[in-house]
């Protein structure tokens, strides 16, 4: 570090990418501190996930930053993501899939969140998009293949994520199993689904008789 500094290059950090990250970080920190290089940071990476991250933080490992890639953008417990498009509204009329075990809630929807006196989330309600004038969680970000707004700066995204995390009750911040978060379906949405089911039965009966 001293040699590079004489050449005008300041070393900002050390990256550890393999081995026992906790032990290696302590060894590196000891070497840096012994040389009075307290401002040089330690950055760790290498197949990190939320559980390794928790263990390192709880052990007060001298690591200043983490790089998480593979476990963040891939599904390590499943080789693929099985998904399908479900049409829920056509020509302004609600639609619903009736298959057993795959039934969907019809129409264009919105999610409304309830908060307690401390601003922590307590429950969500799934309803029609125009069922209540209150602002919902879902907002359009693209229309006709075009962005509706420019990307926000990384600092703004980070602050938004921090603020949202603050709304989570402590029981939902644990990595261990916790009580399920309550999500209810609005009465209007349930009534519409039932009406479509009844209409579907009538249509089938009519086709059978004809």
């Amino acid at each position: 570090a001293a040699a590079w500094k004489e050449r005008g290059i300041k070393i900002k950090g050390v990256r550890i990418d393999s081995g026992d990250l906790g032990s290696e970080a302590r060894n590196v920190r000891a070497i840096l501190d012994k040389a009075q290089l307290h401002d040089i940071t330690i950055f760790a990476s290498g197949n990190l996930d939320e559980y390794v991250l928790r263990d390192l933080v709880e052990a007060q490992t001298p690591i200043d930053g983490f790089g998480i890639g593979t476990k963040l953008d891939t599904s390590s417990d499943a080789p693929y993501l099985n998904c399908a498009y479900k049409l829920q509204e056509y020509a302004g009329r609600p639609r619903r899939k009736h298959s057993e075990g795959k039934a969907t809630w019809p129409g264009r929807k919105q999610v409304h969140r309830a908060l307690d006196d401390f601003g922590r989330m307590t429950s969500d309600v799934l309803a029609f998009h125009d069922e209540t004038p209150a602002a919902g969680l879902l907002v359009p970000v693209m229309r006709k293949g075009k962005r509706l707004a420019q990307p926000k700066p990384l600092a703004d995204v980070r602050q938004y994520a921090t603020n949202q995390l603050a709304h989570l009750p402590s029981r939902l911040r644990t990595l261990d199993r916790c009580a399920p978060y309550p999500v209810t379906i609005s009465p209007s949405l349930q009534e519409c689904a039932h009406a479509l089911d009844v209409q579907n039965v009538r249509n089938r009966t009519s086709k059978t008789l004809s």
Side-chain angles (χ1 to χ4, degrees):
W4 282 108
K5 188 174 182 180
E6 292 177 358
R7 300 175 62 178
I9 299 175
K10 177 179 173 58
I11 296 179
K12 295 184 177 181
V14 176
R15 178 183 177 183
I16 305 174
D17 190 55
S18 61
D20 185 333
L21 297 180
S23 176
E24 295 291 346
R26 292 186 177 87
N27 291 337
V28 171
R29 187 74 268 166
I31 294 172
L32 295 174
D33 290 346
K34 185 177 181 180
Q36 301 299 311
L37 300 172
H38 305 295
D39 58 334
I40 294 182
T41 60
I42 297 177
F43 184 85
S45 60
N47 290 323
L48 297 178
D49 60 17
E50 61 270 35
Y51 300 102
V52 175
L53 203 64
R54 176 192 60 187
D55 295 342
L56 290 171
V57 171
E58 289 182 350
Q60 297 184 338
T61 309
I63 297 177
D64 303 287
F66 299 94
I68 304 176
T70 302
K71 297 296 180 69
L72 182 66
D73 54 22
T74 64
S75 180
S76 59
D77 60 343
Y80 59 88
L81 177 62
N82 188 12
C83 61
Y85 176 81
K86 310 289 186 184
L87 183 68
Q88 302 302 297
E89 182 180 275
Y90 181 75
R93 298 177 62 186
R95 293 291 183 263
R96 166 176 165 87
K97 180 167 184 170
H98 303 272
S99 301
E100 185 177 352
K102 297 181 180 180
T104 60
W105 293 107
R108 194 185 315 178
K109 295 173 285 293
Q110 182 57 267
V111 180
H112 300 278
R113 176 158 294 163
L115 305 176
D116 62 16
D117 294 338
F118 300 98
R120 292 187 296 255
M121 50 194 282
T122 58
S123 64
D124 289 353
V125 177
L126 182 66
F128 284 118
H129 73 102
D130 57 355
E131 197 169 327
T132 171
L137 300 180
L138 304 180
V139 295
V141 295
M142 295 188 69
R143 185 170 287 121
K144 296 182 179 180
K146 303 293 184 180
R147 281 179 178 265
L148 298 182
Q150 293 299 315
K152 294 184 178 180
L154 181 59
D156 292 351
V157 175
R158 183 183 296 114
Q159 186 60 50
Y160 176 81
T162 300
N163 293 339
Q164 291 297 302
L165 184 61
H167 290 313
L168 282 175
S170 57
R171 64 182 178 82
L172 296 181
R173 300 188 195 186
T174 177
L175 297 181
D176 303 314
R177 178 176 293 184
C178 62
Y181 180 75
V183 177
T184 57
I185 310 299
S186 74
S188 296
L189 194 52
Q190 293 186 54
E191 291 171 5
C192 179
H194 177 69
L196 289 175
D197 288 346
V198 172
Q199 183 62 44
N200 183 56
V201 172
R202 289 176 179 170
N203 291 340
R204 279 196 232 168
T205 302
S206 176
K207 290 179 180 180
T208 302
L209 294 176
S210 61

